[in-house]
Structure formats: structure tokens, C-alpha cells
Amino acid sequence: VHGGIGEDGTIQSLLESAGVPYTGPGPIASRTCMDKVATSLAVDHLASYGIHTIPKDVRAREELLKSSLVDIWNDLKAKLQTETVCVKPARDGCSTGVARLRCPEDLEVYANALRGTLPRLPANCLSKVPEIQFGNSLSQSNLMLSCTFTLIYIC
């Protein structure tokens, strides 16, 4: 079962309560993995074993809607030491709401979507950077490691 109650531990809890066997992770693991902030905190201690997470920040939805977006953008750039951020809802398991932002204007477009003035991010509404060419020998995981990426989670 994909998405929502199929991934956040709800169905697993219901099945366990009813005594129905199932395969896959239990409710606690499912709930933790659906919450990207909780997942990141749960694996941070693994850095000494070579398992690293990318720099990140967590912002409340209300903060993005009520604060100066230029100030937030500048704070993120300074704190995360980056020019580009990837935003993602903290408690959504799929790619819904994920965007790569490159400037305060992109953050404003994203905030407008959060406000509900945009039902979704329109195609080509965010700024673009020149295309980067990568060799065919790079795997998907290497590509992620090759790119400077930071995340901000929206709660």
C-alpha cells in the first residue's frame, strides 16, 4: 500500500490491533520513516560508520507564510552554506511538494503554493541554472553525492 495511511504506520497499527499478520515494517518504523526529520535524527548517529545525511534545516509552514522570505533565504544560505536548497514537506512520503529553489523569488513561489494561492507549482515557474553535464558512468547515488544539496523541511 503506497502513500498516506499505507506508509505512516496507520494500517500497520490497525492490522496489529486486529491480530492480522502482514509483511513489512511495523507501525513505529513506518511512522519514523514517513517523517523525514525523525528519520534524519534517527540516523545522525551513524556518521561514524560512514552514513551521512545532508545539511538540513526545519521551518514551520507558518514561519514561511508570515516572515520576510528574503530574510529566511539569507538565513538558510548562511546556515547551510549553499546557494541552492531543496524543500520538502517533512511528513509526506513521496515527492509531493519537493522543489529545488535557487533564489528568494523561488521561495516566494513556493510560499504562495503553501498559502493556497497556487494549487500546485506551475511548470517552469522556478529559476533555472545552466545545464550541467555528467558522465554516463555516474550512478544515481554518485550523482546525489556529486551535487551540492541541502534540504529544508516544511512542518
Side-chain angles (χ1 to χ4, degrees):
V1 179
H2 176 71
I5 65 170
E7 291 182 29
D8 69 1
T10 301
I11 286 183
Q12 293 86 342
S13 293
L14 291 170
L15 292 170
E16 285 187 9
S17 294
V20 177
Y22 62 92
T23 60
I28 295 171
S30 297
R31 192 171 18 263
T32 300
C33 289
M34 184 66 108
D35 183 328
K36 302 310 174 223
V37 177
T39 301
S40 180
L41 293 173
V43 299
D44 271 348
H45 71 283
L46 298 174
S48 62
Y49 298 100
I51 299 171
H52 301 280
T53 61
I54 59 178
K56 68 196 97 8
D57 191 33
V58 179
R59 300 289 169 130
R61 182 180 186 275
E62 292 75 30
E63 178 186 1
L64 288 179
L65 300 180
K66 295 180 181 174
S67 301
S68 162
L69 295 177
V70 171
D71 290 344
I72 291 172
W73 182 260
N74 290 334
D75 182 55
L76 288 169
K77 280 179 50 177
K79 181 177 181 181
L80 300 173
Q81 299 181 359
T82 187
E83 296 294 320
T84 302
V85 297
C86 182
V87 293
K88 180 178 190 351
R91 291 173 186 88
D92 192 343
C94 66
S95 60
T96 303
V98 176
R100 186 171 182 184
L101 311 180
R102 295 175 176 88
C103 61
E105 294 78 17
D106 287 351
L107 184 57
E108 185 170 347
V109 170
Y110 197 85
N112 284 336
L114 288 176
R115 278 187 195 94
T117 57
L118 295 173
R120 68 182 72 80
L121 292 176
N124 300 313
C125 68
L126 302 175
S127 62
K128 304 282 186 232
V129 295
E131 192 171 317
I132 300 171
Q133 297 293 326
F134 292 101
N136 290 336
S137 63
L138 289 177
S139 69
Q140 189 78 343
S141 60
N142 287 340
L143 182 61
M144 284 294 278
L145 296 173
S146 301
C147 297
T148 301
F149 243 141
T150 56
L151 276 173
I152 60 169
Y153 293 109
I154 310 302
C155 294

